[in-house]
Amino acid sequence: MSNITQETTIKELIALGLMKASQVDTYNKRLERKASKAQDTELQQKANQAVAFYIGSTYATGFDNRFRKKPIEKALLKDGISRSMIDKAIAVMVDKGDLVNNADQVNNQCHTRHWRPESPDSSES
């Protein structure tokens, strides 16, 4: 009976009956999913930056400058940024306090509007 060491190969583990050949495929699929998730995270971070830049350069601060998501979607779709990526980016901005919305006051998501809050320093003109 041989001992298993760090140098034991997968082929030897299969021969010993400790591992099935199909497990190799399972492990490879896990690695692919992990790589795909890392890529998705990177793409989402780029989308977050693009959405923040677009909102910052297009909309002024204050409640009177409310906006919907649809114009942002139309403007950024050509850059490969999907609606779900925009939704996630806006959610991050709301969580950080960079955007405010009226989602708690409306019954239908279609009526949700977002706006950039005025900074406390802007009132001291």
Side-chain angles (χ1 to χ4, degrees), residues 10 15 21 30 33 36-37 43 51 66-68 72 75 109 119 125:
I10 292 175
R30 285 183 189 172
R33 281 193 303 269
S36 176
K37 283 183 182 181
L43 287 174
V51 170
R66 297 180 304 266
F67 57 88
R68 300 177 316 134
I72 300 168
Q109 185 179 352
S119 63
S125 299

Side-chain angles (χ1 to χ4, degrees), residues 45-117:
Q45 288 173 345
K46 289 180 182 180
N48 291 358
Q49 291 174 347
V51 170
F53 178 79
Y54 180 82
I55 290 171
S57 62
T58 306
Y59 300 104
T61 60
F63 181 79
D64 292 336
N65 297 300
R66 297 180 304 266
F67 57 88
R68 300 177 316 134
K69 292 180 187 176
K70 193 68 169 178
I72 300 168
E73 178 185 5
K74 286 183 176 184
L76 298 179
L77 190 61
K78 67 183 181 319
D79 298 322
I81 299 174
S82 68
R83 174 66 183 240
S84 64
M85 293 170 102
I86 292 169
D87 289 342
K88 290 175 188 174
I90 288 177
V92 167
M93 292 177 74
V94 168
D95 288 344
K96 288 171 51 178
D98 296 333
L99 283 181
V100 182
N101 65 35
N102 64 343
D104 59 340
Q105 300 164 1
V106 295
N107 293 329
N108 187 332
Q109 185 179 352
C110 295
H111 300 285
T112 300
R113 300 292 181 263
H114 294 83
W115 63 93
R116 293 174 52 208

